[in-house]
Each structure stands twice: as C-alpha cells, then as structure tokens.
C-alpha cells in the first residue's frame, strides 16, 4: 500500500488526502473536477487517483456518478496510519 500512496514520486495521492482534510472539503468533499483543477491535470488523471484511493478504502464517494464528492474515511486512515507506525 505504501507504493500506492507514494507513487507517483511527487506525492499526488498524499496531497489529495491532505486537501480533503481541510475544513471546507472535509465537510462537503471534493469532485474529480475539483481535484483536476487543483492538480492542473486532466479529469481522467484525477479520477484515476481518486478511484485508487477509494479502492484502498481511504476515500468514500457520495452522490451521483456525474457529481461524486469524495471524502476521507477517517477510520480507515487511522488504521493505515497505525500500521505504518508499527513498522508495517
């Protein structure tokens, strides 16, 4: 899982998780378009990152397919953090 979070080397997925921890996004979530705009990448690239983070259980999408909002799954993030702290 460490490779999935840290690759690409620029830390894109970690930045997405950090943005979703900010007060406003934490409440309403962010869409793939929001993430694409913040990253300066095409929508499909942002969606790939969001889908991977969702598959890992770190994000929880809500809404309709055309307007999914992604939020952090704080319980799962705590579990993963604890695994890394134990020296996974």
């Amino acid at each position: 899982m460490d490779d999935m979070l840290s690759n690409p080397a620029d830390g894109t997925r970690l930045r997405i998780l950090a943005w979703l921890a900010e007060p406003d996004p934490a409440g309403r979530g962010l869409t793939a378009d929001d993430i694409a705009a913040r990253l300066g990448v095409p929508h499909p690239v942002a969606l790939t990152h969001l889908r991977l983070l969702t598959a890992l259980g770190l994000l929880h999408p809500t809404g309709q397919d055309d307007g999914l909002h992604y939020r952090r799954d704080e319980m799962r993030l705590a579990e993963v953090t604890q695994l890394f702290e134990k020296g996974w």
Side-chain angles (χ1 to χ4, degrees), residues 32-51:
D33 287 335
D34 295 332
I35 296 296
R38 285 190 180 208
L39 292 174
V41 299
H43 177 88
V45 173
L47 197 54
T48 297
H49 290 296
L50 292 167
R51 286 180 176 157

Side-chain angles (χ1 to χ4, degrees), residues 2-84:
D2 186 37
D3 287 342
M4 291 181 177
L5 289 174
S6 63
N7 285 330
D10 66 0
T12 299
R13 294 179 194 122
L14 293 173
R15 282 190 290 159
I16 291 169
L17 290 171
W19 290 333
L20 287 166
E22 294 172 1
D24 188 41
R28 65 176 171 82
L30 293 173
T31 66
D33 287 335
D34 295 332
I35 296 296
R38 285 190 180 208
L39 292 174
V41 299
H43 177 88
V45 173
L47 197 54
T48 297
H49 290 296
L50 292 167
R51 286 180 176 157
L52 180 85
L53 291 167
T54 299
L56 291 169
L58 301 176
L59 297 182
H60 178 72
T62 58
Q64 303 296 326
D65 288 338
D66 58 344
L68 286 176
H69 283 76
Y70 294 84
R71 290 179 183 84
R72 292 166 38 124
D73 183 328
E74 297 299 338
M75 289 179 57
R76 178 70 176 138
L77 282 164
E79 290 171 356
V80 171
T81 299
Q82 192 174 39
L83 287 172
F84 281 105

Side-chain angles (χ1 to χ4, degrees), residues 18 32 85:
E85 287 173 352

